[in-house]
Amino acid sequence: MNMNNNIDEINQYLSSVTAAAGNLPKEKIAELAAMILKAYEEEKTIFVFGNGGSGANASHFAGDLIKGASYGLEKRFKAVCLNDNLSALMAVANDISYEEIFVEQLKNFVKEGDVVIGISGSGNSMNVVKALEYGLSVGAQTVAICGFNGGKIKEIADLVVHVAIDDMEVSEDLHLVILHCVKRVIMQALPYPPS
């Protein structure tokens, strides 16, 4: 194994991440933060979901809202990650269709004015597409966080936060950066008690 080849690959990857991070759509990230803050003020629920690495980012963001951004506040964020309920996911996938795993859960919970955030590197995951379409149909605010050319979700969501890079790992990395930016912005805006 050639150690220099390994270092070259690492440098190339980090250069890709750095370059793409410099081109993130900052205005769209700020819009997303404002949408999350409005949902908080109006006591709406934030639903977030994705597959694979996008699902991990969705789970991470829900956790950031439930604990990180809520800790110390009397009024707290209402956030649900739809890919965290393994039993529900498997039942819907097995008995109905994998394409319905998120929309079937939304049918139980989502209300007008809630925020529905679908994360997909390709933008073409049909379970994410269907959930965003359902969110729109019931008057929820919809958000697409996507990579590559944005795919189908870029065409349907109310707000699109697009990382325009043809690399799944870089896209997933930067989606988490976007969500951490949102967390930082909302935490600057809220009245936390002195520590």
Side-chain angles (χ1 to χ4, degrees):
M1 181 178 285
N2 186 330
M3 187 65 75
N4 288 334
N5 288 346
N6 294 343
I7 299 299
D8 289 345
E9 179 63 26
I10 292 166
N11 283 332
Q12 183 178 347
Y13 183 77
L14 292 176
S15 294
S16 296
V17 171
T18 302
N23 293 319
L24 287 177
K26 296 169 190 68
E27 295 81 9
K28 297 292 186 182
I29 298 169
E31 283 182 51
L32 177 55
M35 185 184 286
I36 299 291
L37 278 168
K38 187 170 185 280
Y40 169 80
E41 289 161 7
E42 296 177 356
E43 298 188 18
K44 301 295 185 181
T45 303
I46 300 148
F47 298 95
V48 58
F49 48 90
N51 298 283
S54 296
N57 282 341
S59 184
H60 189 133
F61 185 55
D64 277 349
L65 292 176
I66 289 167
K67 188 269 179 186
S70 289
Y71 185 73
L73 295 174
E74 186 172 330
K75 181 167 76 171
R76 299 195 168 214
F77 284 91
K78 297 178 180 181
V80 177
C81 177
L82 297 180
N83 50 264
D84 280 352
N85 187 329
L86 188 58
S87 182
L89 292 174
M90 292 178 72
V92 174
N94 186 65
D95 299 342
I96 305 170
S97 165
Y98 191 76
E99 290 186 1
E100 308 294 328
I101 60 173
F102 302 133
V103 72
E104 283 298 313
Q105 294 182 75
L106 285 177
K107 288 176 182 178
N108 289 43
F109 301 112
V110 72
K111 296 179 181 171
E112 184 177 355
D114 286 342
V115 178
V116 175
I117 304 172
I119 307 174
S120 172
S122 70
N124 292 315
S125 299
M126 281 310 297
N127 51 20
V128 176
V129 172
K130 287 189 170 195
L132 289 175
E133 288 174 339
Y134 181 77
L136 285 167
S137 77
V138 298
Q141 303 170 83
T142 59
V143 180
I145 301 178
C146 48
F148 291 80
N149 69 359
K152 292 177 182 168
I153 64 173
K154 183 180 179 187
E155 306 303 320
I156 60 175
D158 295 315
L159 174 62
V160 177
V161 187
H162 181 208
V163 177
I165 187 164
D166 294 343
D167 186 304
M168 188 60 75
E169 288 80 14
V170 175
S171 178
E172 289 173 351
D173 289 342
L174 294 179
H175 289 167
L176 187 56
V177 169
I178 287 163
L179 296 169
H180 279 157
C181 286
V182 169
K183 180 188 175 195
R184 292 284 186 106
V185 171
I186 63 178
M187 289 185 72
Q188 283 294 316
L190 294 174
Y192 293 94
S195 53

